[in-house]
């Protein structure tokens, strides 16, 4: 009986039908990429705070956007 997770994964792959392997590979690859930690020192995207400072939004544009997103509220 396999003792490590890697051995368990290998055993699962061995018992997977050949036609399912491309999808299984894609799933495992995506999980690996998504679950990997970001390199240390890299903080990711910075803040967008203040990007709209001094900008004015026309109220009619705001209402139009709300109507397109929430049409059920304007019936």
């Amino acid at each position: 009986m396999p003792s490590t997770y890697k051995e368990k994964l290998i055993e699962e792959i061995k018992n997977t039908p050949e036609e399912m392997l491309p999808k299984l590979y894609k799933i495992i690859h995506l999980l690996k990429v998504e679950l990997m930690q970001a390199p240390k020192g890299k903080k990711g995207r910075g803040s967008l705070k203040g990007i709209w400072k001094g900008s004015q939004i026309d109220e009619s544009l705001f209402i139009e956007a709300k109507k397109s997103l929430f049409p059920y509220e304007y019936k």
Side-chain angles (χ1 to χ4, degrees):
M1 183 154 163
S3 60
T4 68
Y5 285 110
K6 193 174 214 173
E7 290 170 341
K8 288 179 182 182
L9 282 169
I10 291 169
E11 195 60 36
E12 287 291 335
I13 292 168
K14 285 180 183 177
N15 293 326
T16 301
E18 191 71 31
E19 62 274 3
M20 287 181 60
L21 289 178
K23 288 183 181 181
L24 181 62
Y25 168 78
K26 192 173 189 177
I27 291 168
I28 291 172
H29 178 73
L30 289 172
L31 282 171
K32 182 183 116 185
V33 169
E34 291 297 321
L35 295 176
M36 287 179 60
Q37 294 180 351
K40 292 188 180 191
K42 191 174 184 181
K43 293 184 178 183
R45 185 174 73 183
S47 173
L48 296 177
K49 184 179 180 181
I51 192 169
W52 301 111
K53 195 175 200 175
S55 297
Q56 293 184 356
I57 299 172
D58 183 14
E59 190 67 28
S60 64
L61 292 174
F62 181 70
I63 291 169
E64 187 180 327
K66 270 180 69 175
K67 283 181 182 179
S68 71
L69 291 172
F70 309 106
Y72 51 87
E73 290 184 3
Y74 294 91
K75 287 187 176 181

